[in-house]
Amino acid sequence: MSSSYESKKAKHESTATNPNWLELPRDITLNILQRLGAVQILMNARNVCPDWWNICKDPVTWRQIHMLDLLPYVKLTSYGGVDNEFLAKLCKYAVDLSCGHLEEIYICEFGTDHLLQHIADRCIRLYGCKLISNEGWCEFVKKFSMLEEIHILNSELSRKSLEVIGQNCPLLKSLTFNGKWYGKPSKWDAEASIIAKTMPKLTYLDIYGNALTVVGLFSILDACPLLESLNIQRCSNLKVGASLLEILYNRIKDLRAKEFFSDAYDAGYDSCSEWVRVMMAEYREHVETSEDEVEGEGEDA
């Protein structure tokens, strides 16, 4: 009797300290697996047991495909680099598993024209995919005009690619198009004009490191009334004066422009938007005080 009790007690304590992951509800298991990333799921997690295999075949699992931090999980080439062809095959397989439910995909470095042709989604993120040409990108965008978010970082895509985005994606709300922050042409106002003329529904815009001037920025602000989040860091041609500061204060809730507002960070503010609000409040108080003093002097005279 005592032995049976001790055995049950030991089993209970073991279960309490080492929970059986296979007994978790399906929705919780799905939530955990989705946090792993596509490569980890396809190469490891789905092989744990039949239940996990079935969950990983569910299109809901593949609404978001994130292929980042890949080095520990993928095979290398003979020269020690990541096998981009192998990653592209994995990505295509993940897209196929989504069965049309894909909402977001994040590809790091291994993207190619051929891979783009395999994707149909509402949101795409490309980082350092230098094998994607302007021609390949333009063909992709023309076929998938329902995109709402496009994020392109550190790429070789040109003004033509930006123009095709604007012409073919009327639902676009979120855009990152920052390329390399160094080696930019003297001005980026033509690109800013494309954004202003073709992307009026933008709420988020990241143009980090582009050679934007005040003229280009004003054209974007005037033409994109819904814009709430703006990143203009490392836009070295941009000169911020009082009038622009006033507009940014009134318009942008989430402003990233650290080098223009370094005092904000020196003063300990979490964002330069908050610092701008405080500074503009102080400026207006100063103006009102000055006007009162002028009126007082006039009455004395």
Side-chain angles (χ1 to χ4, degrees):
M1 186 77 173
S2 176
S3 175
S4 175
Y5 171 77
E6 293 296 333
S7 175
K8 290 181 179 179
K9 180 180 179 182
K11 184 178 180 180
H12 174 74
E13 291 177 349
S14 175
T15 303
T17 56
N18 300 294
N20 188 347
W21 292 91
L22 303 182
E23 295 179 355
L24 289 174
R26 181 184 176 90
D27 59 336
I28 295 179
T29 301
L30 175 61
N31 184 282
I32 293 172
L33 291 174
Q34 287 176 324
R35 297 170 188 268
L36 295 178
V39 176
Q40 297 90 315
I41 292 175
L42 292 175
M43 296 189 66
N44 297 306
R46 67 175 182 161
N47 299 319
V48 170
C49 65
D51 285 342
W52 284 23
W53 179 273
N54 289 328
I55 291 174
C56 292
K57 287 173 60 180
D58 189 337
V60 175
T61 306
W62 305 101
R63 285 179 177 171
Q64 296 180 333
I65 298 175
H66 290 183
M67 300 190 71
L68 302 169
D69 302 325
L70 305 174
L71 197 56
Y73 307 99
V74 301
K75 58 184 197 176
L76 304 179
T77 61
S78 57
Y79 55 85
V82 174
D83 189 339
N84 288 333
E85 185 177 349
F86 172 69
L87 289 176
K89 288 180 180 179
L90 279 182
C91 187
K92 290 178 183 177
Y93 183 53
V95 171
D96 291 342
L97 287 172
S98 73
C99 298
H101 289 76
L102 185 62
E103 297 177 355
E104 177 181 283
I105 185 165
Y106 202 147
I107 301 170
C108 182
E109 296 185 353
F110 63 90
T112 64
D113 291 353
H114 186 62
L115 180 57
L116 280 180
Q117 298 305 315
H118 202 80
I119 298 172
D121 62 355
R122 293 191 308 174
C123 173
I124 184 166
R125 300 173 187 268
L126 304 175
Y127 179 81
C129 296
K130 304 209 172 107
L131 297 178
I132 295 178
S133 66
N134 283 287
E135 293 75 15
W137 172 257
C138 291
E139 287 301 314
F140 166 78
V141 171
K142 289 175 183 177
K143 291 181 179 179
F144 305 120
S145 60
M146 301 302 288
L147 289 165
E148 296 181 2
E149 295 187 33
I150 297 175
H151 303 283
I152 302 172
L153 300 88
N154 193 25
S155 77
E156 303 293 338
L157 298 182
S158 69
R159 181 188 305 170
K160 178 61 178 176
S161 291
L162 183 65
E163 188 173 22
V164 171
I165 291 172
Q167 292 171 345
N168 292 275
C169 300
L171 302 180
L172 192 67
K173 297 177 182 177
S174 182
L175 174 69
T176 299
F177 200 90
N178 56 35
K180 298 177 181 176
W181 65 266
Y182 54 87
K184 288 291 178 183
S186 58
K187 289 185 180 181
W188 203 74
D189 289 342
E191 288 82 351
S193 178
I194 292 171
I195 294 173
K197 291 178 180 178
T198 63
M199 307 179 192
K201 295 183 180 180
L202 284 181
T203 60
Y204 174 96
L205 178 62
D206 181 345
I207 46 177
Y208 173 100
N210 291 307
L212 187 72
T213 71
V214 170
V215 173
L217 182 56
F218 266 108
S219 67
I220 292 173
L221 293 174
D222 288 341
C224 302
L226 304 178
L227 192 62
E228 296 181 346
S229 180
L230 177 65
N231 185 359
I232 51 174
Q233 293 185 96
R234 287 191 179 271
C235 293
S236 55
N237 285 345
L238 199 56
K239 308 300 179 185
V240 178
S243 60
L244 179 55
L245 186 62
E246 177 76 17
I247 291 175
L248 293 174
Y249 163 74
N250 288 322
R251 284 283 314 279
I252 306 301
K253 293 181 180 179
D254 176 27
L255 175 65
R256 281 165 289 166
K258 184 173 181 178
E259 65 271 32
F260 300 122
F261 305 109
S262 58
D263 290 346
Y265 297 88
D266 293 340
Y269 288 98
D270 293 332
S271 70
C272 43
S273 296
E274 179 61 24
W275 178 78
V276 167
R277 289 185 178 89
V278 172
M279 192 178 73
M280 287 304 301
E282 293 179 352
Y283 170 76
R284 286 173 173 167
E285 183 179 352
H286 170 73
V287 170
E288 291 172 358
T289 302
S290 299
E291 290 175 349
D292 290 342
E293 289 177 353
V294 170
E295 290 178 2
E297 291 176 359
E299 291 175 357
D300 292 340

